[in-house]
Amino acid sequence: MRSRMQHLWALAVVPLLAAGLVACQGGGEGGAEKSKKAAPSGSLKQIMQERGLKEADVRAALQTYTPSGGRDEYFMFASGGHSGQVIVIGVPSMRILKYIAVFTPEPWQGYGFDDQTKKLLADGDPPNGGKLTWADTHHPALSETDGDYDGQYLFINDKANARVAVIDLKDFVTTQIVRSNLIRSDHGGTFVTPNTEYVVEGPQYPAPLGGEYADISEYNDKYRGAAIFWKFDREKGRIDKAASWAVELPPYMQDLSDMGKKDSYGWAFFNSFNTERATGGNLEGKPSLESGASQNDMDYLHIFNWKKAEEVVKAGKTKKIAGMRVIPLDTAIEEGLLYFVGEPKSPHGVDVTPDGKELVISGKLDTHTTVYSFAKLMKLIEDKNFQGKDPYGVPILPFKESIRGQAQIGLGPLHTQFDDKGFAYTSLFIESKVARWSLKDLKVLDKIPVQYNVGHISVTGGDTVNPGGKYLMAMNKWAIDRFDPVGPLLPQNFQLIDISDPEQLRLIYDLPIPLGEPHYAQMIPVSRIKAINVYPPGEDVTTKQTSPFKTISGQERIERKPDGVHVYMTEVRSHITPDTIRVKEGDTVHLHIDNVEQAHDATHGFSIDTYNINASLEPGEHVDVTFVADKPGVFPMYCTEFCSALHLEMAGYLLVEPKGASKETKL
Amino acid sequence: MRSRMQHLWALAVVPLLAAGLVACQGGGEGGAEKSKKAAPSGSLKQIMQERGLKEADVRAALQTYTPSGGRDEYFMFASGGHSGQVIVIGVPSMRILKYIAVFTPEPWQGYGFDDQTKKLLADGDPPNGGKLTWADTHHPALSETDGDYDGQYLFINDKANARVAVIDLKDFVTTQIVRSNLIRSDHGGTFVTPNTEYVVEGPQYPAPLGGEYADISEYNDKYRGAAIFWKFDREKGRIDKAASWAVELPPYMQDLSDMGKKDSYGWAFFNSFNTERATGGNLEGKPSLESGASQNDMDYLHIFNWKKAEEVVKAGKTKKIAGMRVIPLDTAIEEGLLYFVGEPKSPHGVDVTPDGKELVISGKLDTHTTVYSFAKLMKLIEDKNFQGKDPYGVPILPFKESIRGQAQIGLGPLHTQFDDKGFAYTSLFIESKVARWSLKDLKVLDKIPVQYNVGHISVTGGDTVNPGGKYLMAMNKWAIDRFDPVGPLLPQNFQLIDISDPEQLRLIYDLPIPLGEPHYAQMIPVSRIKAINVYPPGEDVTTKQTSPFKTISGQERIERKPDGVHVYMTEVRSHITPDTIRVKEGDTVHLHIDNVEQAHDATHGFSIDTYNINASLEPGEHVDVTFVADKPGVFPMYCTEFCSALHLEMAGYLLVEPKGASKETKL
């Protein structure tokens, strides 16, 4: 079919272009004359020639190019990998609209520089001291209502330090970071239950729960996994730590997760690898983990009844570890919360179909993708039809009786998404392709090469009850030769694939990611997100409350109080008030700053040299900046956002009088 | 002329598109049949209809769309504003290829996390304590040979803290940060002399030189500006601090700068505003700076003979301030190094023409742009034809005798660039336009609206002796309604303008900048930069030397030494060796890590939770990570770059045995 379509395309388009019929504005003054041989200067044909564009490129260009002031159809929210941020991309223009600061301090946004965001970040720091200034963000999860994205919130995990962040999509700002010391790393997070009752954080590398020490030789006995169910309070827009709980899991390496929906509502699914419980030790004569963890033909899909677990938690059948209510593994087994079923070799993704009736799992060392029937799983559980137990006593369901079938899919299958036509799409890491296959008859219909080594893929709404059918994003881990060379560290490569044609997949755009190593992404219609343009005056954007230190124009003042010097400041085009701040060496200084603008895009910055002071204030925003003026001298302060023609004049001085200076402080 | 061209375009293209002649792959199985009314499904015409594309958009799409694996013509290096980074953009595809970490710690690049880059950043910290974790980058400067970009190095300033960074374009990595405590902020930097003899850093907000304290009431007497001439050693790729020097300037607010070239080689030009010496004090009954600094009709262009100044420095006619040799203002005047000439009101840019014969200056509160003749300036100096002196004794050249003329250009002119056709381009901030004007007869030929409030502009090579004529980038400070809403903090908006047609300027692409508030940018042909793909084994990328701790496969080991535990490690797909590290609580741990890969794009990360350890190792790279293991417990470590199908298995454990634990440490 594809070759016929390509032929038709060539028949229809090539002659037109070749004839120079699309010429216009030919060579300067002469106007539009038809060329005979060379395409006329400035014609579309000439542009194509000069730029080496083929016919398919013209189509792709028109499908993605978004003219000045134009709008995108979808927002894509991609994790920023170990940049610790979230990336917002417009689709199909493939323009990056924003990096949202989440776990890493980011000065453009003033994030991690003012008192508000310093506190927010500190909430994610380890309880035993130390400060985290990065994260390895993996899986963004949009909040859902009835299994579909509702556009209100976004959640994201930090694999490296087992944290979860909440981003408010009213203003695209991080408002909360939570961490439990229960686990040390997470990978099966974040995933939300279909009404965002919970934000689920599954672990990755087992360790003694709660931060205890045990030598690696005690791995089987003392190392554990645990999945945390963070209770989300939608009204408050915050995770309620006290209402959250966890379940202890065996020391396998739990991996990607998905939540049941519709028919499978109330259940959660966690993949795992290294059911071999290999621990490495390659300098001690043992095999590396990559080898030790790849011995078994099957690992375990964890099938967990979170709805029933809620009752178990309510009944108090938990123990407290690191302040978290944890359902012990034994209890989870006794109460019938946890079951296993074999899944072919070192699986990565477990993906629930849009109707909630099936699960698709791909083993990255297997050439199949396997489709499990939720009804069959439930029937096996109901009938207690188990094929033994794992070493920790978890009942194992028989594999063959659990599945509907397998698709012979290719090398290195990782992750599956769905569309609105009954197709499934699976990334093939080793093959560097994306496969389209029929969910109905488990047949591969098409494969499209991607460049290179694709990890996750994302279809618009492709993990919800209501997937779209227009775009698929391939998130490729290696770029190699795809872009002009920028040194040894290369951008990753997102490729946009047009999936609207049931007959053919078409690659239509390559997007380098200039910062970060994204892992997963979700795409939501732009229309579903209602972002504000300005804040109400005096807004603390991390709490969405009016600051008690809100200052309006005319009320600016400097007050010396027992806890230090309080400066109530405003910014408005084009001055800072007060523009002279006099303090004494050693003073604790509290700056309370309001951007009193209410005009869209009238952001002001605020900076003071040497003291590492830097704030970004969107219209209406209030921030506080507290510091000890321990260095005497003269320090310019100024607005860092080019806000008006007199922006450079929006400046003043902090004067820190040295100790022992004779003059009276002029407060 | 423009309307006629548009007419011709419409004549040539619209009928073709309207007739559906460009149809292809019409509605499914039917093939390419000509539509009668609605455009056939999947045709170019239908795509245009659906996406609201006009005829000019098709042309722009083809001019910018770059198909999979395609190459860009130019690299654009843009400052990242107060993100503290540098942004690399491919032109004309307008894809952002990389954020280069410069002044702000950035975990994706491991920048500011390993010992090497921590030291590099610390070199820019204030001498009197404190740590800087951001910057306000303003003006990138590519290294030059004979006044043209040579593609070897890039320099960038930090306005907020008066620092300068060196980026090596072999690998797009920051290799040096320098800071003098002489000045507190810089804006007239970085600019290079035509053979990169010096990287010039001009100040902005005056303060007592060297960090002394003086009340603002002593502004006229004790506050000063100073321009620093950082000596660049091209062989070493480093600024030679000991060979660098500065010149004291009056307490005006020196602004943008440019270096003379060709005819004007040896001279430097600094703009200034606030020659009123207003100091604000708006809470003390005085006018804000925006008002106080806007009283005079003229400010002063600073004309400085740096070539002659070198001799004065050599002759020892300097004083040491903050460790820097400074030519006192009196000496600069006596030696004939410094002259002023009036420049209309609150100028921003001073831009030397490609032939070096003229200077273009725009006063942002004036509606003209003014063209100064370098020959006239020299003649006036030679003839000592002065119109008095400023309060500090600097001779002032007569304005009218200095200029060739003025162009009536519009509202809020800021910055001028040049092309290869004798045109100049000036940004108009208040008017939100870019004006094209003839350098020959000072007539405005065209203006193109931009969205909105344009600051700097950049033409390919537009500030060199050899400008191009194809692209101009407008760097707009406000975006407002240009993109889908992402909350109150908006991306800035870069707009690519096709300047190849002498008859018409055409806007062809809008690029949102997702992180940072860029100020200035330079564009260089991609072909002129020779980036490497991998490092030689054991490379310390900040020094470009082989690390003394380089470790190769098979030589991994753990050694306990008097200064702590040394771990010699390697990373290669897909294991870390050693993958088990046992230390005791309180140990100082030195990780020496080599990525022993030599394959292009085979980057590995390295992370340990809780300890905030995070490294990025490009193929061949070596890093050291030193930390105190003060928190007992079990800490997973893993590779953070998705490097192979067994990437998740590329992991191990750091085991920190608690103090007083009975077992022997198993080293």
Side-chain angles (χ1 to χ4, degrees), chain B residues 596-611:
Chain B
V596 296
E597 306 257 6
Q598 285 285 295
H600 190 190
D601 209 4
T603 290
H604 292 292
F606 179 82
S607 76
I608 303 180
D609 90 270
T610 303
Y611 282 100

Side-chain angles (χ1 to χ4, degrees), chain A residues 4 9 12 16 21 23-25 29 42 51 57 59-60 62-63 65-68 71-72 75 82 95 98-99 106-108 113 128 131-134 136 159-161 172 184 205-206 213-216 223 255 273 280-282 284 289-290 348 364 429 477-482 484-486 488-490 506 508 510 514-517 533 573-579 582 601 607 609-610 612 614 618 634 638 641-642 645 648-649 653 655-656 658, chain B residues 9 12 16 21 23-25 29 42 51 57 59-60 62-63 65-68 71-72 75 82 95 98-99 106-108 113 131-134 136 159-161 172 184 205-206 213-216 223 255 273 280-282 284 289-290 348 364 429 477-482 484-486 488-490 503 506 508 510 514-517 533 574-579 582 601 607 609-610 612 614 618 631 634 638 641-642 645 648-649 653 655-656 658:
Chain A
R4 188 176 155 234
W9 163 273
L16 282 177
L21 281 176
C24 63
Q25 301 178 333
E29 305 277 312
R51 303 200 64 240
D57 300 331
R59 181 197 174 88
L62 298 195
Q63 285 186 285
Y65 180 80
T66 301
S68 186
R71 289 292 185 267
D72 276 302
F75 282 131
H82 49 294
R95 296 176 299 184
K98 191 177 258 187
Y99 274 79
E106 201 297 293
W108 169 58
F113 288 84
N128 45 352
K131 204 168 134 65
L132 299 174
T133 60
W134 76 291
D136 187 12
K159 170 175 166 169
N161 295 287
F172 289 59
R184 305 248 65 78
Y205 302 114
Y213 171 80
D215 189 73
I216 191 87
Y223 286 45
D255 202 32
F273 62 94
N282 56 17
E284 301 169 7
L289 197 61
E290 63 171 319
H348 197 56
K364 57 192 192 252
F429 179 86
K477 313 318 283 183
W478 289 44
I480 310 178
D481 60 352
R482 307 311 288 177
D484 287 303
V486 291
L489 181 60
L490 301 188
R506 291 189 190 88
I508 58 174
D510 281 20
L515 176 66
E517 202 246 17
N533 290 329
R573 277 164 288 173
S574 298
H575 52 274
I576 303 165
T577 308
D579 57 9
R582 290 186 179 84
D601 209 4
S607 76
D609 90 272
T610 302
N612 205 40
N614 161 55
E618 280 66 71
V634 172
Y638 68 92
E641 279 274 347
F642 198 150
L648 291 177
E649 288 81 351
Y653 287 94
L655 303 164
V656 182
Chain B
W9 163 272
L16 282 177
L21 282 177
C24 62
Q25 302 178 333
E29 304 278 311
R51 303 200 63 242
D57 300 330
R59 182 196 174 87
L62 299 193
Q63 284 186 288
Y65 180 80
T66 301
S68 186
R71 288 291 186 268
D72 276 302
F75 282 130
H82 48 296
R95 295 176 299 183
K98 192 177 255 186
Y99 274 79
E106 201 295 293
W108 169 57
F113 288 83
K131 201 166 136 65
L132 299 175
T133 60
W134 76 290
D136 188 13
K159 170 174 167 171
N161 295 288
F172 290 58
R184 305 248 63 78
Y205 303 114
Y213 172 81
D215 190 73
I216 191 87
Y223 285 44
D255 202 32
F273 63 93
N282 55 18
E284 300 168 8
L289 196 62
E290 63 171 319
H348 196 58
K364 58 192 190 250
F429 178 87
K477 313 317 282 183
W478 289 44
I480 310 180
D481 60 352
R482 306 312 286 177
D484 288 302
V486 291
L489 181 60
L490 301 187
E503 304 296 336
R506 291 189 191 88
I508 57 174
D510 281 20
L515 176 66
E517 203 245 19
N533 290 329
S574 298
H575 52 274
I576 303 165
T577 308
D579 56 10
R582 291 188 179 83
D601 209 4
S607 76
D609 90 270
T610 303
N612 205 41
N614 161 54
E618 280 67 71
K631 289 175 275 286
V634 173
Y638 67 92
E641 280 273 346
F642 198 149
L648 290 178
E649 288 81 352
Y653 287 94
L655 303 164
V656 182

Side-chain angles (χ1 to χ4, degrees), chain A residues 172-192:
Chain A
F172 289 59
V173 162
T174 305
T175 53
Q176 190 180 18
I177 294 176
V178 294
R179 174 192 170 116
S180 161
N181 207 37
L182 186 67
I183 55 176
R184 305 248 65 78
S185 63
D186 65 32
H187 194 248
T190 55
F191 295 88
V192 295

Side-chain angles (χ1 to χ4, degrees), chain A residues 299-338:
Chain A
D299 289 291
Y300 295 132
L301 172 68
H302 297 34
I303 304 164
F304 179 67
N305 189 335
W306 65 262
K307 205 66 195 167
K308 194 170 170 188
E310 275 189 318
E311 300 307 314
V312 172
V313 172
K314 253 187 213 156
K317 298 176 183 170
T318 55
K319 58 180 175 184
K320 276 244 171 152
I321 307 176
M324 171 76 68
R325 290 175 298 171
V326 181
I327 303 173
L329 181 53
D330 288 347
T331 307
I333 297 166
E334 277 161 32
E335 299 282 342
L337 305 180
L338 183 66

Side-chain angles (χ1 to χ4, degrees), chain B residues 434 448 450 470-472 474 495-499 505-507:
Chain B
V434 173
I448 186 166
V450 289
K470 209 163 170 184
Y471 301 117
L472 179 147
Q495 290 182 307
L496 184 65
I497 296 169
D498 173 5
I499 59 169
L505 300 171
R506 291 189 191 88
L507 181 61

Side-chain angles (χ1 to χ4, degrees), chain B residues 315-391:
Chain B
K317 298 176 183 173
T318 54
K319 58 179 174 183
K320 275 246 171 150
I321 307 176
M324 171 75 69
R325 291 175 298 172
V326 181
I327 304 172
L329 181 52
D330 288 349
T331 308
I333 297 166
E334 278 162 30
E335 299 282 343
L337 306 180
L338 184 66
Y339 302 91
F340 287 165
V341 64
E343 47 183 5
K345 202 158 180 176
S346 295
H348 196 58
V350 47
D351 301 290
V352 178
T353 54
D355 59 12
K357 291 184 193 300
E358 296 188 312
L359 292 76
V360 177
I361 294 177
S362 306
K364 58 192 190 250
L365 302 181
D366 190 42
T367 57
H368 299 88
T369 192
T370 306
V371 179
Y372 294 72
S373 157
F374 179 73
K376 288 185 179 181
L377 294 173
M378 290 302 106
K379 185 72 168 60
L380 291 167
I381 289 171
E382 198 182 318
D383 296 347
K384 297 194 192 304
N385 186 348
F386 305 137
Q387 213 171 40
K389 294 176 175 184
D390 90 322

Side-chain angles (χ1 to χ4, degrees), chain B residues 588-601:
Chain B
T588 296
V589 183
H590 307 268
L591 306 178
H592 310 296
I593 318 173
D594 274 274
N595 177 350
V596 296
E597 306 257 6
Q598 285 285 295
H600 190 190
D601 209 4

Side-chain angles (χ1 to χ4, degrees), chain A residues 222-492:
Chain A
K222 297 199 172 166
Y223 286 45
R224 289 291 179 271
I228 301 177
F229 284 69
W230 293 105
K231 181 72 188 160
F232 187 63
D233 183 333
R234 196 188 283 263
E235 285 303 302
K236 293 188 179 151
R238 294 180 74 78
I239 284 170
D240 181 347
K241 288 185 80 166
S244 304
W245 50 268
V247 56
E248 180 185 5
L249 299 173
Y252 311 137
M253 294 182 173
Q254 284 81 22
D255 202 32
L256 283 168
S257 310
D258 202 3
M259 298 300 119
K261 50 201 173 197
K262 290 190 169 174
D263 281 24
S264 51
Y265 177 83
W267 291 78
F269 307 98
F270 308 106
N271 271 345
S272 68
F273 62 94
N274 193 22
T275 48
E276 297 86 349
R277 292 179 289 170
T279 57
N282 56 17
L283 206 62
E284 301 169 7
K286 291 177 215 153
S288 291
L289 197 61
E290 63 171 319
S291 163
S294 307
Q295 301 303 309
N296 295 348
D297 283 338
M298 290 275 186
D299 289 291
Y300 295 132
L301 172 68
H302 297 34
I303 304 164
F304 179 67
N305 189 335
W306 65 262
K307 205 66 195 167
K308 194 170 170 188
E310 275 189 318
E311 300 307 314
V312 172
V313 172
K314 253 187 213 156
K317 298 176 183 170
T318 55
K319 58 180 175 184
K320 276 244 171 152
I321 307 176
M324 171 76 68
R325 290 175 298 171
V326 181
I327 303 173
L329 181 53
D330 288 347
T331 307
I333 297 166
E334 277 161 32
E335 299 282 342
L337 305 180
L338 183 66
Y339 302 91
F340 287 165
V341 65
E343 45 182 7
K345 201 156 183 178
S346 296
H348 197 56
V350 47
D351 301 290
V352 178
T353 53
D355 59 11
K357 290 182 195 299
E358 297 188 310
L359 292 78
V360 177
I361 295 177
S362 306
K364 57 192 192 252
L365 301 181
D366 188 42
T367 57
H368 300 87
T369 191
T370 306
V371 179
Y372 293 72
S373 157
F374 178 72
K376 288 185 180 184
L377 295 173
M378 289 303 105
K379 185 72 168 56
L380 292 167
I381 290 172
E382 199 181 318
D383 296 347
K384 298 194 191 302
N385 187 347
F386 306 136
Q387 213 169 41
K389 295 175 174 185
D390 90 321
Y392 300 90
V394 181
I396 302 169
L397 309 183
F399 173 70
K400 285 193 178 157
E401 288 77 358
S402 300
I403 69 172
R404 172 158 67 90
Q406 292 186 302
Q408 176 74 42
I409 199 135
L411 298 177
L414 286 188
H415 178 229
T416 299
Q417 292 255 297
F418 308 97
D419 73 3
D420 59 354
K421 302 177 196 75
F423 296 138
Y425 301 85
T426 299
S427 55
L428 300 169
F429 179 86
I430 295 172
E431 232 173 285
S432 280
K433 284 182 183 153
V434 173
R436 167 190 267 177
W437 52 283
S438 160
L439 207 47
K440 194 175 161 198
D441 55 16
L442 311 187
K443 291 242 160 59
V444 172
L445 303 170
D446 201 358
K447 283 188 186 180
I448 187 166
V450 290
Q451 288 77 32
Y452 303 94
N453 298 5
V454 56
H456 280 276
I457 53 177
S458 176
V459 170
T460 56
D463 57 4
T464 72
V465 297
N466 186 28
K470 210 162 169 184
Y471 301 116
L472 179 147
M473 197 79 74
M475 289 166 256
N476 309 319
K477 313 318 283 183
W478 289 44
I480 310 178
D481 60 352
R482 307 311 288 177
F483 308 108
D484 287 303
V486 291
L489 181 60
L490 301 188
Q492 295 218 352

